[in-house]
Amino acid sequence: MTAPTSTPNPFKNLPRAGQPDRTVLLMLFFIISSGILLASHNAPLLESLGSLGSFLKNPIVEALFVSLFLANVLFAYLWKAAPWARMLVGVGSLLFVLPLAGREDTSLLDLSIQIMIFAALALGLNIVVGLAGLLDLGYIAFFAVGAYLWGIFASPRFAEVLRYYGENPGATNAGTLAIGLFLLVVTIASLVYISRLTARTAPTALSTWSFRLASLGAVAGLTLTLRAVMVLMSGSADSLEAGINPGFFWLFLALSIMAAAIVGVLIGLPVLKLKGDYLAIITLGLGEVIRVLANNLDLYSAGSQGITPIGTASVPWFNTLAGALGFAEDQHYLLFLYALVLVVIGVILLVNVRLDRSRIGRAWIAIRDDEVAAQAMGVPLMQTKLIAFATGASFAGVMGMIFAAKQTFISPESFVLNQSIMVLAMVILGGMGSFPGVILGAGVVTLLNLRILPGLGEATANLGIPQEVNPGQLQRLIFGAILVAMMLLRPEGLLPNRRRQLELHHEDHQEDDSAQGNAGALGKGGGDVYSAGYAPAKEDDKAGGSR
Amino acid sequence: MDFATLLTFLIGVITGGLVLGFVYAIIALGYTMVYGVLQLINFAHSEVFVTGAVVGFEVFRVLAPVEMNGYLKLLIALVAAMTISGLLNVVIERLAYRPLRNSPRLVPLITAIGVSLILQDVLRVIEGFQGRFDLTYTLPNGFSAPFCGAESTCAPVGKFLTGIGVSLQLKDVILVVVSLLSLAVLNYIVNRTRLGKAIRAVAQDRVTAGLMGIDANRMISATFLIGGALGGISGVLFGMKFGTINAYSGFIPGVTAFTAAVLGGIGSIPGAVLGGLLLGVLEKLIGVTNVFGEVLGIANLGVIDDSYSKLGAFIALVLILIFKPTGLLGKSNVEKV
């Protein structure tokens, strides 16, 4: 099947028609906001400005400048402008101006990495909530899986775990290893076989149960194998005092994706049968289970005091490169992480866009809109939902690992319910199902959380307000308000996905059918007028083009 | 440990679980009634319940220096908590749920989570203005004393109870009596009054009930009022039982009570009570697993951390939903297109 020539390009599908050309405005905005960003993060310059300088260093003002700067990228995406200008602004902002400003002020790099980590989380949750319509309130658990995977292996924890197994070897190693590997191979083979079988025929009680049995067996096999490997390795515990060789970073990057996806499937298997509200409360519970385990399995997670120091990645060639670009020694690692996160999020975005336009993506949307109808049309419910869960989880897993390598410290505190809600707030704020939307949401919420709230807290700390009332501590109130306000006023989010928007305003269109599209009017609050000739043509295009 | 000791120990654990179970049962009623009429999990109910607990704390705190019968203070606390929690629940429904009644199901659910978060911080800030975070109940004298202690007139009853392993405090007995009274009143309202009949009609079929001249919106408000009032009662009882609460302490009892509602069959009032009692006992039993391990000689499990026994509710919820999603007393609900 050849790719249809009229494949709708997601970046062209947007409400730019009818806008005046804004190339000049865009370039002007780019230059001004970049200038402000560079100036406000230039320490010597701020010194020389005196009191104005310290005002500019205020976290709230900084957040304002950073968001102004990030608005560049948003406008490059939204505005109608010459392609070269949009390209230049997008690439220039992220690849040149931001690292350049970060060279003077590392906290800016740190902030950008955090924003992108959360953007990846939001993109992952967006698949689960926005595309497949499954409300997952324990999403941060997958982030924890990735973080603890690297955290345990690349820290002194690993040596301690090995020592523990060395002292308590249990059964004979070779036997355990053999049984474990055997179980693993057999169960995975049967899993593949069963899923092939059920892909064609309706699942029966037998196939469901054998599937569950095989999954249990796979977990048992994996546990036994890991245990045996640990026991066999326990002799070398002393040489692993600082964790494994940082050269394994890339391997673990792949492993963290797989581990999170596997955990996603394991959690998904029992719970995805449930309807929306039950799923919400169960995932909430399972998220809590993972946190409690992290808090109580002292051997692996060091309990509530957390794991530290966690090894960092070692990339000599990048350090040389960064050195050549004039970055100081201690900035190399952050710059590396920035580049890494940028690449990862690019890949995630690409995966997202491709998935959205694929058979799976359409199946997700079909399930979201009407599960029964989707099933009647031949969408395998369980399999499709599991893929959504696993895909979303894997994004969180890889970012969790990068998070651990960046912080070099993790504790269960980073994986509480509030964090799951925060990611949900990003998705809701930006718009469920809309990729640019959730990235915008991630940017806004992260800036709010890391700069504006602490800034407000600092500003009001001297006013004699009790700690409990300090606005810096009102995360729950603010996230809650975001959720409620968006749901009541604009459920499709700030940058809506067109299809989702049409669904959520179904009733409005029945009277509004003849209205001319003013699709460009994003900022005008309405933006939801059905453009009769525009979107349906695209939809038909898509359906016809890929069959 | 010989058999008789083990038996008295078990009786003690189970009565403790039943007392706890009554609190869960009353909270679960709030979830189940709202679910019955709207098919919505009212995530904010756990905060409505905490609001009741905070109101109860304030009443007992303000009345602490006043010379007054302890039971009268309790009555004032209960009435205040019922009123405020009930009205709060009605306001939440009016502002946050009613405008979204015809939206996709995900939308009111997310709103409910948001409302719950907002209320947590609002409660914390209200108490925070007075420099408090953890609120410790100042109970009237004697409430924490053993039930039918040595000096009281009913000492023989107390002695008998202690003999079979039941050790209750006066407040536990009060808790059970208040719970039973509220259940009786609720039963009367739902099954014997016109209002109850109308609520049941709306729960069964909102549109048809509307055709019969029932104002569905008013009935939904009434349901939220009753559910909130029950939340207020359970808040005061919870605060009395555990002594210390804070703005965030609604989460775990809320989830447990929701599990109780699901266990009993969501939408079913007797089911919620049954589920609450069962989960209360379950939680207490998980808490003493180590004793069983020791007695039966299986393993030395050491101390079972409190957080594990809280997780029992989640695990129970997963198992119930997998194996019997309709619950013990629920009706099966086949989805129709």
Side-chain angles (χ1 to χ4, degrees):
Chain A
M1 197 159 104
T2 52
T5 44
S6 61
T7 304
N9 179 345
F11 295 99
K12 281 191 184 140
N13 204 2
L14 264 172
R16 271 190 228 106
Q19 275 186 2
D21 189 272
R22 288 176 177 156
T23 311
V24 183
L25 201 60
L26 183 65
M27 292 309 289
L28 213 63
F29 190 80
F30 173 55
I31 293 167
I32 294 175
S33 64
S34 305
I36 294 179
L37 186 81
L38 287 171
S40 68
H41 286 89
N42 194 328
L45 185 68
L46 291 183
E47 282 299 292
S48 63
L49 284 177
S51 62
L52 180 64
S54 57
F55 170 72
L56 290 180
K57 258 195 283 186
N58 183 302
I60 300 174
V61 180
E62 191 202 350
L64 189 73
F65 290 154
V66 173
S67 42
L68 204 64
F69 174 73
L70 291 181
N72 259 328
V73 188
L74 182 67
F75 289 147
Y77 168 75
L78 282 181
W79 283 356
K80 183 178 176 188
W84 62 264
R86 289 171 37 202
M87 213 51 182
L88 180 77
V89 172
V91 174
S93 300
L94 294 178
L95 285 189
F96 296 102
V97 180
L98 205 58
L100 203 64
R103 196 171 66 173
E104 304 299 332
D105 182 357
T106 349
S107 72
L108 181 66
L109 272 187
D110 197 278
L111 179 68
S112 336
I113 294 172
Q114 293 269 20
I115 291 180
M116 284 195 281
I117 285 180
F118 280 114
L121 286 183
L123 281 170
L125 187 64
N126 178 46
I127 289 189
V128 182
V129 178
L131 296 184
L134 309 163
L135 186 53
D136 181 355
L137 295 179
Y139 184 67
I140 210 73
F142 305 125
F143 190 59
V145 168
Y148 273 103
L149 185 73
W150 181 246
I152 291 171
F153 281 96
S155 74
R157 277 286 113 200
F158 189 40
E160 281 190 30
V161 173
L162 286 183
R163 268 192 215 111
Y164 174 82
Y165 279 112
E167 286 157 19
N168 309 290
T172 51
N173 317 322
T176 317
L177 185 63
I179 297 174
L181 282 178
F182 176 73
L183 254 179
L184 205 57
V185 171
V186 169
T187 49
I188 287 180
S190 46
L191 274 181
V192 172
Y193 178 73
I194 295 167
S195 55
R196 286 243 178 104
L197 213 64
T198 46
R200 289 198 205 94
T201 59
T204 59
L206 181 68
S207 71
T208 346
W209 276 105
S210 46
F211 191 80
R212 284 180 196 161
L213 201 66
S215 338
L216 259 182
V219 175
L222 194 64
T223 320
L224 285 179
T225 315
L226 281 180
R227 190 185 165 91
V229 171
M230 294 281 186
V231 175
L232 289 175
M233 280 178 72
S234 60
S236 52
D238 292 329
S239 61
L240 289 168
E241 208 47 72
I244 54 167
N245 186 332
F248 280 113
F249 184 81
W250 301 107
L251 174 69
F252 270 78
L253 214 51
L255 280 182
S256 66
I257 297 177
M258 275 159 51
I262 289 173
V263 173
V265 170
L266 286 181
I267 290 185
L269 271 178
V271 304
L272 281 178
K273 260 193 345 191
L274 307 171
K275 285 274 153 335
D277 8 13
Y278 287 121
L279 183 69
I281 208 149
I282 287 269
T283 47
L284 181 120
L286 288 172
E288 201 69 358
V289 168
I290 291 211
R291 190 185 64 81
V292 170
L293 288 182
N295 231 334
N296 286 284
L297 295 177
D298 287 354
L299 172 63
Y300 301 97
S301 66
S304 53
Q305 50 187 312
I307 303 180
T308 193
I310 297 169
T312 53
S314 121
V315 266
W317 58 269
F318 192 90
N319 291 348
T320 336
L321 182 72
L325 290 172
F327 282 85
E329 193 79 33
D330 55 339
Q331 294 173 341
H332 289 176
Y333 186 55
L334 265 186
L335 188 68
F336 162 72
L337 285 175
Y338 177 77
L340 177 69
V341 172
L342 203 59
V343 170
V344 171
I345 205 162
V347 172
I348 287 177
L349 202 53
L350 191 69
V351 169
N352 261 321
V353 171
R354 300 303 301 164
L355 275 178
D356 185 35
R357 315 255 139 197
S358 74
R359 194 187 173 84
I360 295 175
R362 287 199 300 270
W364 285 336
I365 293 169
I367 287 181
R368 177 187 76 197
D369 293 347
D370 190 334
E371 215 166 84
V372 180
Q375 196 172 22
M377 290 295 127
V379 174
L381 282 190
M382 198 61 192
Q383 200 181 330
T384 317
K385 286 181 181 179
L386 275 181
I387 294 174
F389 237 58
T391 318
S394 57
F395 296 165
V398 68
M399 279 308 178
M401 178 185 160
I402 295 176
F403 177 76
K406 170 180 161 297
Q407 304 290 69
T408 69
F409 166 75
I410 50 170
S411 77
E413 278 297 292
S414 314
F415 312 108
V416 291
L417 175 67
N418 257 7
Q419 300 278 321
S420 290
I421 302 279
M422 186 170 90
V423 181
L424 182 68
M426 292 168 185
V427 175
I428 303 290
L429 182 67
M432 286 184 278
S434 147
F435 305 131
V438 298
I439 295 177
L440 172 73
V444 172
V445 173
T446 315
L447 275 178
L448 197 71
N449 205 22
L450 292 181
R451 287 290 184 274
I452 297 180
L453 286 182
L456 277 177
E458 253 174 58
T460 51
N462 308 324
L463 298 179
I465 301 176
Q467 185 61 24
E468 285 84 4
V469 201
N470 193 321
Q473 309 260 323
L474 293 181
Q475 268 104 341
R476 288 179 200 236
L477 184 75
I478 287 163
F479 298 149
I482 289 178
L483 294 182
V484 176
M486 293 308 290
M487 284 296 112
L488 285 175
L489 304 175
R490 202 175 155 86
E492 69 273 21
L494 291 179
L495 280 184
N497 171 293
R498 272 200 77 73
R499 195 189 311 202
R500 191 81 176 126
Q501 188 176 24
L502 296 177
E503 284 160 22
L504 286 166
H505 290 269
H506 188 63
E507 301 90 34
D508 311 355
H509 304 306
Q510 298 182 337
E511 304 107 54
D512 247 14
D513 234 358
S514 59
Q516 281 298 312
N518 68 336
L522 254 177
K524 287 182 192 162
D528 48 14
V529 183
Y530 191 91
S531 153
Y534 181 64
K538 287 285 178 193
E539 299 291 307
D540 290 347
D541 234 11
K542 201 182 322 177
S546 41
R547 283 287 146 135
Chain B
M1 206 186 273
D2 61 53
F3 182 72
T5 333
L6 186 64
L7 193 68
T8 49
F9 174 72
L10 257 186
I11 291 177
V13 170
I14 290 175
T15 36
L18 287 175
V19 171
L20 184 61
F22 272 109
V23 181
Y24 290 150
I26 307 283
I27 309 174
L29 285 173
Y31 281 106
T32 218
M33 288 187 68
V34 167
Y35 196 92
V37 294
L38 281 188
Q39 280 76 48
L40 165 77
I41 298 179
N42 185 7
F43 271 91
H45 190 71
S46 54
E47 275 58 51
V48 170
F49 146 78
V50 175
T51 307
V54 172
V55 171
F57 161 78
E58 286 294 339
V59 170
F60 281 125
R61 185 181 66 85
V62 171
L63 293 183
V66 183
E67 279 296 324
M68 196 194 278
N69 188 327
Y71 295 101
L72 196 59
K73 287 185 186 174
L74 177 67
L75 188 68
I76 297 173
L78 283 174
V79 170
M82 277 169 74
T83 318
I84 293 179
S85 291
L87 291 179
L88 176 68
N89 218 14
V90 172
V91 170
I92 292 173
E93 192 272 334
R94 189 72 192 77
L95 295 182
Y97 303 153
R98 190 173 296 180
L100 301 171
R101 202 164 289 161
N102 296 318
S103 312
R105 269 175 84 129
L106 208 56
V107 172
L109 197 61
I110 293 171
T111 316
I113 296 166
V115 170
S116 154
L117 291 170
I118 293 176
L119 285 178
Q120 283 177 12
D121 258 356
V122 167
L123 282 176
R124 192 180 58 109
V125 166
I126 289 176
E127 286 300 317
F129 267 120
Q130 302 162 58
R132 285 191 287 263
F133 178 70
D134 278 324
L135 311 174
T136 306
Y137 266 59
T138 43
L139 285 178
N141 286 337
F143 270 32
S144 299
F147 175 59
C148 286
E151 298 96 55
S152 66
T153 45
C154 61
V157 181
K159 207 169 175 190
F160 168 72
L161 286 177
T162 329
I164 61 168
V166 180
S167 63
L168 292 176
Q169 291 176 331
L170 184 57
K171 62 182 182 184
D172 294 333
V173 179
I174 294 174
L175 187 156
V176 173
V177 171
V178 171
S179 307
L180 287 173
L181 276 179
S182 355
L183 286 176
V185 172
L186 179 72
N187 187 44
Y188 176 77
I189 293 178
V190 171
N191 289 325
R192 296 290 158 82
T193 60
R194 281 176 69 88
L195 175 74
K197 204 181 228 175
I199 290 178
R200 280 182 289 140
V202 170
Q204 204 166 41
D205 188 333
R206 199 188 309 158
V207 178
T208 315
L211 292 176
M212 302 295 144
I214 297 170
D215 184 348
N217 277 337
R218 271 186 58 197
M219 289 310 127
I220 290 170
S221 287
T223 311
F224 272 83
L225 183 69
I226 297 173
L230 287 168
I233 295 177
S234 52
V236 176
L237 297 180
F238 184 83
M240 258 174 40
K241 171 130 184 67
F242 289 93
T244 303
I245 50 142
N246 63 43
Y248 300 150
S249 46
F251 177 62
I252 292 283
V255 172
T256 314
F258 177 75
T259 310
V262 175
L263 174 62
I266 194 143
S268 149
I269 289 176
V273 178
L274 180 65
L277 295 178
L278 283 177
L279 274 181
V281 174
L282 178 76
E283 185 179 318
K284 286 287 175 185
L285 284 178
I286 292 177
V288 295
T289 330
N290 47 352
V291 178
F292 288 115
E294 205 178 304
V295 169
L296 300 175
I298 306 169
N300 180 14
L301 296 169
V303 180
I304 297 289
D305 193 282
D306 196 34
S307 50
Y308 281 121
S309 78
K310 301 290 181 208
L311 286 188
F314 288 128
I315 292 162
L317 183 57
V318 175
L319 294 179
I320 299 160
L321 287 176
I322 292 170
F323 292 106
K324 193 154 174 34
T326 53
L328 296 175
L329 303 180
K331 291 185 286 289
S332 77
N333 185 12
V334 180
E335 186 170 347
K336 286 166 252 140
V337 182

